[in-house]
Amino acid sequence: MEELANLFHGFAVALQPFNIMVMILGIVLGVIIGVLPGLGGANGVAILLPLTFSMPPTSAIIMLSCIYWGALFGGAITSILFNIPGEPWSVATTFDGYPMAQQGKAGEALTAAFTSSFVGALFAVVMITLVAPLVASFALKFGPAEKFAVYFLAFCSFVGLSKEPPFKTIAAMMIGFALAAVGLDSITGQLRLTFGITELLNGFDFLIAVIGLFGIGEILLTMEEGLSFRGGNAQINLRVVLHTWKEMPAYWMTSLRSCLIGCWMGITPAGATPASFMSYGIAKRLSRRGKTFGKGEIEGVVAPETAAHAAGTAALLPMLSLGVPGSPTAAVLLGGLLIWGLQPGPMLFVEQKEFVWGLIASMYLGNLAGLLVVLTCVPIFAAILRIPFSIVAPLILVLCAIGAYSVHSSTFDVVLMLVFGVLGYLFKKCGYPLAPLVLAIVLGDKAEEAFRQSLLGSQGSLAVFFSNALVGTIMVLGLIALFWSALQEGYSRLRAATA
């Protein structure tokens, strides 16, 4: 009952007029970001993060999370109407969404996509509401060793459970650790890796790095690809919406299965993109209409969209309850919380109840608002793709520069942003993932501090990381996650040998 009372209190916070205004604004900005290929939720949140500096933390995180929900919705518009995935997780939506649009069923495809996205997100938010408070019961048991164990689990999960090659993930993470070590040593007070540059005494600002890596890097890559937009108009009227909603209950099993896949992939660092592909593949295999997938089957739109939104929303659960982001966007939001002086983790539910439950309540309201906005404004958002990219790209670059400058009012930060932009471009060209790099920049110094405090308390003994059941369990889970692919391969070989 206490959780229910907290949730109602959270709705009271989220329904304040200013919070409703930033919620709608965040949804609209997010859909625009989702419609523009190459940006994405993480990039949009990173670029627009400086807009929230003058807001209260609760309003700021509501706006940023709504930008994320909007980007998730917006990615389906370009996928269905133009066969251009606005987001990586929207690729699977193009398989059946675009053929439906070519057959004159764009309204049905968009309605199915938006409704499925809403269902997936709602399922994940209910899960967060029920599960997240349970983690808070462990809040007072977390010392330095337990904190490091959680960070260790996060890093190992990205290496072992990610679809990226482990070597590339580790290499990206090591660069992130090196960047996180720049500046004053928090334990000894010694300067590290500043090379005489006084502006680096406080290290690299997380926001500068993220704006450069995601925003500038994506723009450079998109400019190189010479992206051009083309497609047809689309309209959704009430008759189309009601007709599609009448059909959708027939796919309840696909929706439920996609919700479960999405939540699982969101809590682990796999993310929304693998969730959408996995859900589409399983639906194609199990559906009675599997042979018509790829030719304009509405079930082929329902499956990936439900899973992608469930994964994108569920990624916030480990970020809030453990301080471990489950996606690149969650990593950016984690950095935002740290900027506002909030430490994500089990203690957040004890020390900042109003903030946490206000955010959870805004997830319900934000997704409902997002569904209404996209259903009513699709023609307007689709028209954005008529703007030449030669006009859009400079506007985004200017936004990035303003955002970087506003952090410390320093032109050096703008130069750093450009350097990180080139680094992000090189990473993408070489196929190296950015999420582990961002994770290491955000958590690297905190993991180091927790590790050294643990060793100081145990007089240098590594046994402190297995000194009780809680820390030992988390460390063992981290080791299992690290070697998960090797364990799977060994198990497959053993089965083959037995057979």
Side-chain angles (χ1 to χ4, degrees), residues 159-234:
V159 175
L161 300 180
S162 173
K163 300 300 180 184
E164 303 288 344
F167 171 77
K168 290 186 175 182
T169 304
I170 292 172
M173 206 172 278
M174 290 301 111
I175 294 173
F177 287 140
L179 294 174
V182 173
L184 283 171
D185 185 337
S186 58
I187 302 294
T188 65
Q190 296 292 317
L191 285 175
R192 303 187 298 190
L193 303 174
T194 57
F195 302 104
I197 302 173
T198 55
E199 287 88 349
L200 294 179
L201 290 177
N202 292 324
F204 290 108
D205 193 282
F206 159 79
L207 183 58
I208 307 299
V210 169
I211 290 176
L213 289 169
F214 287 102
I216 305 297
E218 286 286 358
I219 290 298
L220 291 174
L221 199 64
T222 308
M223 287 170 63
E224 183 189 30
E225 292 171 352
L227 183 63
S228 62
F229 304 142
R230 61 189 181 278
N233 294 319

Side-chain angles (χ1 to χ4, degrees), residues 212-214 217-218 419-429 434:
L213 289 169
F214 287 102
E218 286 286 358
V419 172
F420 276 110
V422 174
L423 179 64
Y425 168 77
L426 292 174
F427 262 60
K428 290 176 182 298
K429 287 291 290 182
L434 284 177

Side-chain angles (χ1 to χ4, degrees), residues 33 42-55 60-61 63-65 67 205-208 210-211 331-340 399 403-404 406-407:
I33 286 165
N43 308 331
V45 172
I47 293 169
L48 298 175
L49 190 55
L51 294 178
T52 64
F53 285 172
S54 59
M55 297 181 186
I61 198 67
M63 181 175 176
L64 292 176
S65 62
I67 291 172
D205 193 282
F206 159 79
L207 183 58
I208 307 299
V210 169
I211 290 176
V332 177
L333 290 174
L334 172 64
L337 294 181
L338 296 175
I339 289 172
W340 297 311
L399 275 175
S406 65
V407 177

Side-chain angles (χ1 to χ4, degrees), residues 84-97:
I84 301 172
E87 307 285 349
W89 53 77
S90 297
V91 173
T93 307
T94 63
F95 299 159
D96 283 277

Side-chain angles (χ1 to χ4, degrees), residues 62-397:
I62 286 174
M63 181 175 176
L64 292 176
S65 62
C66 285
I67 291 172
Y68 185 28
W69 312 145
L72 284 164
F73 278 115
I77 296 175
T78 51
S79 299
I80 292 170
L81 296 185
F82 301 90
N83 202 28
I84 301 172
E87 307 285 349
W89 53 77
S90 297
V91 173
T93 307
T94 63
F95 299 159
D96 283 277
Y98 186 61
M100 286 184 70
Q102 288 181 311
Q103 296 164 16
K105 299 179 181 177
E108 288 90 332
L110 288 167
T111 302
F114 298 148
T115 307
S116 301
S117 298
F118 174 75
V119 169
L122 182 64
F123 186 94
V125 176
V126 170
M127 183 199 66
I128 290 174
T129 306
L130 298 175
V131 174
L134 299 178
V135 184
S137 61
F138 296 107
L140 301 178
K141 299 181 180 179
F142 273 67
E146 286 78 11
K147 288 180 182 177
F148 173 76
V150 170
Y151 297 139
F152 178 75
L153 174 61
F155 299 137
C156 290
S157 298
F158 263 90
V159 175
L161 300 180
S162 173
K163 300 300 180 184
E164 303 288 344
F167 171 77
K168 290 186 175 182
T169 304
I170 292 172
M173 206 172 278
M174 290 301 111
I175 294 173
F177 287 140
L179 294 174
V182 173
L184 283 171
D185 185 337
S186 58
I187 302 294
T188 65
Q190 296 292 317
L191 285 175
R192 303 187 298 190
L193 303 174
T194 57
F195 302 104
I197 302 173
T198 55
E199 287 88 349
L200 294 179
L201 290 177
N202 292 324
F204 290 108
D205 193 282
F206 159 79
L207 183 58
I208 307 299
V210 169
I211 290 176
L213 289 169
F214 287 102
I216 305 297
E218 286 286 358
I219 290 298
L220 291 174
L221 199 64
T222 308
M223 287 170 63
E224 183 189 30
E225 292 171 352
L227 183 63
S228 62
F229 304 142
R230 61 189 181 278
N233 294 319
Q235 291 188 357
I236 297 180
N237 55 48
L238 183 61
R239 184 183 61 81
V240 171
V241 171
L242 294 177
H243 174 71
T244 308
W245 282 355
K246 190 177 179 180
E247 285 186 14
M248 290 193 66
Y251 310 114
W252 69 271
M253 190 65 198
T254 300
S255 294
L256 179 60
R257 184 173 59 243
S258 299
C259 285
L260 295 173
I261 292 171
C263 287
W264 171 250
M265 300 295 270
I267 294 172
T268 63
T273 305
S276 63
F277 278 101
M278 181 185 293
S279 182
Y280 181 88
I282 293 175
K284 183 177 181 180
R285 190 176 305 156
L286 298 180
S287 173
R288 291 176 296 173
R289 293 169 290 272
K291 292 182 180 180
T292 61
F293 272 49
K295 299 178 182 178
E297 177 61 51
I298 193 171
E299 192 174 359
V301 175
V302 170
E305 283 296 313
T306 306
H309 242 236
T313 307
L316 299 183
L317 173 60
M319 188 270 283
L320 286 173
S321 58
L322 295 174
V324 177
S327 71
T329 310
V332 177
L333 290 174
L334 172 64
L337 294 181
L338 296 175
I339 289 172
W340 297 311
L342 299 170
Q343 178 60 58
M347 288 300 292
L348 192 66
F349 286 81
V350 178
E351 299 171 349
Q352 301 287 343
K353 278 188 177 182
E354 181 176 308
F355 166 81
V356 172
W357 289 103
L359 173 59
I360 292 175
S362 76
M363 292 181 187
Y364 288 96
L365 299 174
N367 277 288
L368 179 60
L371 178 64
L372 297 176
V373 167
V374 291
L375 283 177
T376 53
C377 302
V378 162
I380 299 172
F381 292 124
I384 293 171
L385 289 176
R386 309 293 177 191
I387 304 173
F389 192 75
S390 56
I391 296 175
V392 174
L395 289 175
I396 296 172
L397 287 172

Side-chain angles (χ1 to χ4, degrees), residues 463-489:
V464 68
F465 299 114
F466 298 91
S467 58
N468 59 62
L470 179 59
V471 67
T473 301
I474 299 173
M475 289 294 289
V476 169
L477 288 174
L479 291 171
I480 292 173
L482 180 62
F483 297 108
W484 182 250
S485 57
L487 291 172
Q488 276 189 319
E489 186 178 347

